[in-house]
Amino acid sequence: MPNVKVDGVELEVPDGLTVLQACEMAGAEIPRFCYHERLSIAGNCRMCLVEVKPGPPKPAASCALPVGDGMEIFTDSEMVRKARHGVMEFLLINHPLDCPICDQGGECDLQDQAMAFGHDGSRFEENKRAVDDKYMGPLINTIMTRCIHCTRCVRFSTEVGGVTDMGMINRGENAEITTLGKAVSSELSGNVIDLCPVGALTSKPYSFVARPWELRKTETIDVMDAIGSNIRIDARGNEVLRVLPRLNEDVNEEWISDKTRFACDGLRRQRLDRPYIRNAEGKLQAADWDAAFAAIAERLNGVDGGKIAALAGDQCDAEAMFALKALMESLGSANMDCRQDGAALDPSARASYLFNSGIAGVEAADACLIIGSNPRWEAPLVNSRLRKRWLQGGFNVGVVGPAHDLTYDTEYLGAGAETLQQIADGSHAFASVLKDAERPMLILGMGALTRGDGAAVLAAARQIAESTGMVSDDWNGFNVLHTAAARVGGLDLGFVPGDGGLDTAGILDAAASGAVEILYLMGADEVDTKKLENAFVIYQGHHGDAGAHVADIILPGAAYTEKSGTYVNTEGRVQQGQVASFPPGEAREDWTIIRALSGVLGKTLPFDSLSALRKQMQAACPHFTRLDDPERADWGDFGSSGAMDPAPFESPIANFYMTDPISRASETMAKCTQEFVNNTDGATGTDG
């Protein structure tokens, strides 16, 4: 390990570090624009200049210079100060004097560094250069005259996003960053807004909406998919204006998907803000809470528990599911399910429904089999990890199921169960690839588990894991990739059919036949509502989506930004979301609705506060006490052997931008659907 001296401070640093990293270890602040820890080194902004001895008598770019033993580094010498003043003066030659109207005002790296390390004036007296703004899609706003060509956006889109839409054209004074008039076709494209240090790329939906000091900032958890991305919600008053990523190396690093970032405008539209009761004419009529509860109590009076059922949706918090399960049990009903897509997941074996390697563990694998999944749409941040691992080399990825461009090289093995069985039997060549790998893994998607033969597919996947050495004392490469934020929490809590109870398919069929008379839908909008015409439907949720359209009684609940709730992500990581705004109108937090209803029904639940509820929930499931600390699940027997359907596996997501009530209510997601899914925008490059 080299020994270096930084501004007179001696320290030992690991091999392979750059001078910039060594300076930061020593506590010295090094300004930079082009350098970013998660991107390749460009070395083109020259802001990170330092003086190095022994070496040539001129400043050196610290981001691209490896540390050498015996190096003496000066970060604040006269030479360095003059060099930084000159670089900053050069970078600002063409930069417009538009700080007061820049959307990055108050959060701008250029502004901060110009004050800390720049010169007090400019010697440039010629006309400034003007650059035409570029069209980059419905999410990214461009003011390209501000661009200093740090190429962070280009490197991110290429290296992390895996798309080659962005690049630089021309040379010298005429150089421009462009997409040649097309939208950036990455599900992670919004991250370039955070990366841009100068306000050249800003958020199109958020442009000129607010200043950062006007916003109330809340650290919470995303529920748009099952990753559980750590996010910060910025709200003004009771309105969520933007969503930004928080750093969590084990989950989302410092990225978030475009749906997580931009679907927040859907929180303002199509909201349920008061209870409704369907009258004798079949129309929903506004009511108060007492009337809604009284109508439910009247309809439930005398109904056998076997004729009552409940389904939990994809964005429900664990507290609400725990309360609803307790209410159903008090009514004598075992008909409940949190798997509204009908996935054949085994709640008795926790390892059977977890992403056991962990999201960060993807980077340790050396072979991967993807079964019935499109991770690029189902979990963009898992897909970025797969691409990150692929870029390191020595990573074979085989795909069984739908063929998609996943942004990295894959070997297409087959469309469905026949190929899967061959791998399980060891007769397929890719079985040898998995066996020869030190840390093989598989990713089993909902597209393979939501079929009628889902249990047999699950058993075949377990056979592959066991026969190829995926499960050992220090490694478990058997991974289930969920698409719903509530799914793992619901399975952990046992929100599944009890003894003699019906699952989702059974509940829907029984509702259609009249065997189930009363159905409680808690945020469940992804079911076949045509089968519910004969049932009395109670819908509790936050948007007027599919479930509300068929409801006889609507109880307005809170969205994920409006309640304190616990969520368990696809790898079994327990996380808690916080209140960033308040529910609109008369809407309430979900667990409070169920608790109040239980009192009206004469089945009062044994908790009257969130803390009391959580204590009971943690007593029932002790791992809910391990916040942000997933524990390894014990391996066991799961799945059911049997014949598999030869039909090809299909991804459950047909449109990445509209998968839940919030995103379906979002105007921004509608524009993305038009641009990327329907391909009907027809932008020419001159479109603003």
Side-chain angles (χ1 to χ4, degrees):
M1 295 176 65
N3 289 289
V4 299
K5 186 182 289 185
V6 179
D7 294 334
V9 179
E10 293 187 15
L11 70 158
E12 190 177 53
V13 299
D15 288 322
L17 252 61
T18 63
V19 169
L20 188 151
Q21 292 169 316
C23 291
E24 291 193 332
M25 286 183 64
E29 182 182 0
I30 305 295
R32 83 288 302 265
F33 291 115
C34 68
Y35 177 79
H36 193 277
E37 294 82 356
R38 302 186 195 276
L39 304 176
S40 62
I41 295 172
N44 55 7
C45 79
R46 319 308 288 183
M47 197 64 210
C48 65
L49 294 173
V50 296
E51 185 180 354
V52 178
K53 295 180 180 180
K58 63 179 183 178
S62 61
C63 67
L65 183 64
V67 168
D69 192 40
M71 239 183 208
E72 193 171 359
I73 305 162
F74 302 91
T75 68
D76 197 32
S77 65
E78 185 64 22
M79 177 194 293
V80 172
R81 286 193 294 272
K82 284 185 176 180
R84 287 175 181 168
H85 287 165
V87 169
M88 183 64 72
E89 185 181 2
F90 177 73
L91 291 176
L92 294 176
I93 278 177
N94 291 303
H95 199 87
L97 303 176
D98 63 350
C99 287
I101 64 165
C102 177
D103 238 28
Q104 263 196 353
E107 299 176 316
C108 181
D109 291 342
L110 179 64
Q111 202 171 47
D112 294 342
Q113 295 192 30
M115 291 293 293
F117 304 101
H119 201 265
D120 60 356
S122 175
R123 291 164 289 180
F124 187 76
E125 297 178 352
E126 289 77 8
N127 293 327
K128 290 180 178 285
R129 182 181 82 140
V131 182
D132 291 337
D133 295 338
K134 308 297 189 294
Y135 178 77
M136 294 189 181
L139 304 177
I140 304 171
N141 192 47
T142 62
I143 307 92
M144 300 310 295
T145 301
R146 299 173 186 161
C147 179
I148 62 169
H149 307 137
C150 71
T151 68
R152 279 186 178 183
C153 55
V154 177
R155 285 175 284 147
F156 174 86
S157 62
T158 305
E159 296 167 12
V160 181
V163 298
T164 55
D165 296 335
M166 300 185 76
M168 182 180 289
I169 59 172
N170 303 325
R171 299 179 66 186
E173 187 183 12
N174 298 315
E176 296 181 21
I177 300 291
T178 183
T179 61
L180 299 178
K182 67 175 294 189
V184 182
S185 58
S186 169
E187 295 74 24
L188 302 170
S189 66
N191 292 288
V192 301
I193 297 166
D194 299 333
L195 287 172
C196 181
V198 296
L201 305 177
T202 58
S203 171
K204 188 172 284 187
Y206 178 73
S207 289
F208 306 113
V209 171
R211 291 298 197 191
W213 54 84
E214 302 173 351
L215 305 176
R216 183 179 63 258
K217 303 167 180 64
T218 306
E219 296 185 349
T220 185
I221 304 300
D222 172 58
V223 300
M224 293 295 165
D225 54 30
I227 301 303
S229 298
N230 288 218
I231 59 173
R232 192 190 86 193
I233 291 176
D234 288 0
R236 181 173 61 191
N238 208 37
E239 185 178 4
V240 174
L241 296 181
R242 67 175 180 178
V243 175
L244 299 175
R246 287 192 293 127
L247 178 67
N248 190 319
E249 295 288 359
D250 295 327
V251 181
N252 58 302
E253 298 182 287
E254 58 187 88
W255 319 125
I256 52 174
S257 74
D258 287 348
K259 184 166 53 180
T260 297
R261 184 185 297 269
F262 294 109
C264 58
D265 64 323
L267 293 165
R268 305 193 294 269
R269 299 179 177 90
Q270 301 177 19
R271 292 300 302 270
L272 301 173
D273 60 356
R274 66 192 67 184
Y276 288 88
I277 300 175
R278 195 173 296 276
N279 60 24
E281 288 77 33
K283 295 184 178 181
L284 289 169
Q285 188 174 354
D288 57 28
W289 282 102
D290 291 340
F293 286 159
I296 295 172
E298 183 181 356
R299 185 62 181 85
L300 281 171
N301 187 31
V303 178
D304 182 78
K307 296 182 178 182
I308 305 170
L311 294 175
D314 292 347
Q315 295 183 333
C316 293
D317 57 285
E319 290 86 352
M321 288 187 286
F322 182 80
L324 184 56
K325 180 188 178 188
L327 179 61
M328 288 295 112
E329 290 173 345
S330 70
L331 295 171
S333 173
N335 306 320
M336 66 186 87
D337 208 342
C338 64
R339 302 162 295 181
Q340 62 171 337
D341 57 3
L345 298 162
D346 188 349
S348 65
R350 196 164 189 255
S352 71
Y353 59 82
L354 292 185
F355 202 94
N356 291 284
S357 71
I359 296 170
V362 170
E363 298 180 31
D366 49 2
C368 179
L369 174 64
I370 299 175
I371 306 168
S373 176
N374 175 13
R376 182 171 176 179
W377 275 11
E378 295 170 27
L381 293 165
V382 169
N383 198 64
S384 71
R385 294 272 191 176
L386 289 164
R387 174 173 172 81
K388 185 178 180 180
R389 175 62 186 89
W390 172 76
L391 288 172
Q392 297 171 9
F395 187 54
N396 295 314
V397 182
V399 174
V400 178
H404 297 280
D405 176 14
L406 299 180
T407 71
Y408 43 86
D409 292 341
T410 60
E411 181 182 350
Y412 187 71
L413 308 178
E418 183 179 354
T419 306
L420 189 67
Q421 189 60 58
Q422 292 172 357
I423 299 172
D425 296 340
S427 58
H428 197 284
F430 201 79
S432 300
V433 174
L434 295 174
K435 287 179 181 178
D436 294 340
E438 290 186 17
R439 291 194 167 187
M441 62 180 289
L442 65 81
I443 296 177
L444 183 59
M446 293 299 108
L449 294 175
T450 53
R451 311 180 343 154
D453 61 347
V457 172
L458 184 63
R462 176 176 59 82
Q463 184 182 345
I464 292 172
E466 293 174 346
S467 62
T468 58
M470 287 185 186
V471 184
S472 62
D473 292 339
D474 61 347
W475 176 253
N476 187 342
F478 181 89
N479 297 316
V480 173
L481 185 60
H482 291 279
T483 56
R487 189 64 45 78
V488 174
L491 293 169
D492 284 348
L493 293 170
F495 199 95
V496 292
D499 293 338
L502 302 173
D503 60 7
T504 298
I507 290 171
L508 294 177
D509 291 340
S513 67
V516 165
E517 296 181 7
I518 298 172
L519 178 58
Y520 200 118
L521 297 180
M522 186 168 67
D525 297 279
E526 319 303 326
V527 296
D528 185 2
T529 55
K530 295 178 181 178
K531 293 185 176 183
L532 306 181
E533 295 176 356
N534 297 328
F536 183 85
V537 178
I538 304 165
Y539 179 78
Q540 178 180 327
H542 42 77
H543 275 74
D545 208 79
H549 293 171
V550 297
D552 294 283
I553 294 190
I554 293 176
L555 306 176
Y560 76 103
T561 59
E562 300 157 0
K563 58 186 174 182
S564 178
T566 303
Y567 303 92
V568 188
N569 76 346
T570 191
E571 61 182 347
R573 184 181 301 271
V574 179
Q575 303 183 111
Q576 283 185 354
Q578 305 300 327
V579 177
S581 59
F582 295 98
E586 299 176 34
R588 301 177 181 177
E589 292 191 25
D590 292 294
W591 78 268
T592 64
I593 297 173
I594 298 165
R595 172 62 174 78
L597 177 60
S598 71
V600 175
L601 298 177
K603 307 287 185 181
T604 305
L605 296 177
F607 44 79
D608 56 6
S609 67
L610 183 60
S611 60
L613 188 160
R614 283 178 173 167
K615 283 181 181 178
Q616 292 195 21
M617 183 175 72
Q618 291 165 359
C621 293
H623 67 266
F624 274 88
T625 61
R626 300 168 59 104
L627 290 178
D628 205 35
D629 182 24
E631 62 179 349
R632 178 168 177 170
D634 295 330
W635 190 252
D637 189 23
F638 52 85
S640 302
S641 58
M644 291 186 286
D645 189 340
F649 297 138
E650 299 288 343
S651 173
I653 296 180
N655 178 2
F656 166 73
Y657 300 99
M658 291 188 175
T659 56
D660 56 83
I662 298 174
S663 58
R664 285 193 287 268
S666 166
E667 288 187 352
T668 305
M669 295 295 97
K671 292 177 182 177
C672 290
T673 298
Q674 185 181 19
E675 177 84 47
F676 300 112
V677 180
N678 299 334
N679 296 314
T680 58
D681 186 78
T684 62
T686 59
D687 181 29

